[in-house]
Structures are given as C-alpha cells and as structure tokens.
Amino acid sequence: MSKDTVRYPDDVVEQIDALVKDGMFESKSEFYRFSAEYVLTLIDPNHEVKTFNFDEIKSELDISNRTHADAVGSDGGTFFLDAVITVRKQGLRGNYEAAERFIDTHYDATDQECIILEELLGTYRDSAP
C-alpha cells in the first residue's frame, strides 16, 4: 500500500473527526480510503474496489447510485453539464442566438464556465456551412 499526504481545510477535518467519533467510520484512514474509492467508482464504473468492507460501508451509509444521482444531479451537483448539453443542442441546430441567450442568462461573462461554453458554441459556428 502507498502512503500519500494530503492537506484538507480545517472545517473538513473537523467534520471527518466528528464522523469517526460518532462511529460512522472506524478511523479517519477508513473514511479517506472509502471516499477515494467511492469517487473512483463514480468516475469509472469499471473501477475495481480494493478497500476492505467497501460495500458494507456503502450499505450502512445507505448510498445507492440512484439516491446519489437524485441528490446531486447527473453532473455531480453542478449545472454545467446540463448547460453544455443545451449549448451543444442549440449549436448543432444552428440556433446560435438561442445558445448565446442561454449563456448570457445563466453566467457572468467572466465565469470560467461561461468562457468554456462560448468556446464550445464557437466550434459549432466555425463548422457551419
């Protein structure tokens, strides 16, 4: 097993300490191992979990894929994936003004996500006949 050092904000560590104190996890290490494996399974459904008792912990926490998706949304809790889908759909249809309105309505012009969406829209404009 490898050892890795990671820094967390104090309030995050306090919440993790509370979970360990309440018996939700046996140790902070168990929490960190479970958390890392859980995120990896969300990113890659084929990820082979190696954490001992992973399924048991997940079951005790009452986490299912469906409840997770319902709680945070299809894109992990942000609006951005839905925005990408909307801009892509409008771009494919040549509805550039509708896509621009959508972006302008939902994002500040200096937002990183806004800039990415505008670049995405630009690719559809550039490829238009």
Side-chain angles (χ1 to χ4, degrees):
M1 226 184 232
S2 298
K3 183 177 179 180
D4 205 0
T5 302
V6 180
R7 295 185 180 274
Y8 293 95
D10 291 337
D11 59 327
V12 171
V13 174
E14 288 170 10
Q15 290 179 13
I16 294 166
D17 286 341
L19 291 173
V20 172
K21 185 178 179 183
D22 291 345
M24 184 79 67
F25 292 90
E26 288 183 18
S27 65
K28 287 168 66 168
S29 293
E30 182 182 65
F31 173 87
Y32 293 125
R33 282 191 297 272
F34 174 81
S35 299
E37 291 270 39
Y38 182 70
V39 170
L40 290 172
T41 62
L42 294 175
I43 294 168
D44 177 9
N46 296 320
H47 172 73
E48 187 177 322
V49 175
K50 302 219 177 8
T51 298
F52 180 71
N53 287 342
F54 178 85
D55 290 327
E56 183 180 320
I57 295 168
K58 186 177 173 186
S59 174
E60 287 175 10
L61 294 173
D62 197 25
I63 299 173
S64 69
N65 291 342
R66 182 76 194 147
T67 56
H68 176 82
D70 289 345
V72 299
S74 61
D75 60 346
T78 68
F79 178 71
F80 185 64
L81 179 60
D82 292 331
V84 167
I85 292 167
T86 299
V87 170
R88 180 179 184 276
K89 189 184 307 181
Q90 297 295 347
L92 286 170
R93 295 177 180 162
N95 298 332
Y96 309 124
E97 289 179 15
E100 286 174 349
R101 273 193 310 278
F102 174 83
I103 294 169
D104 293 342
T105 303
H106 294 89
Y107 291 94
D108 182 79
T110 59
D111 282 352
Q112 203 173 27
E113 291 177 343
C114 175
I115 295 166
I116 292 168
L117 292 171
E118 288 175 343
E119 287 293 323
L120 175 64
L121 181 58
T123 62
Y124 293 106
R125 274 197 182 114
D126 293 343
S127 64

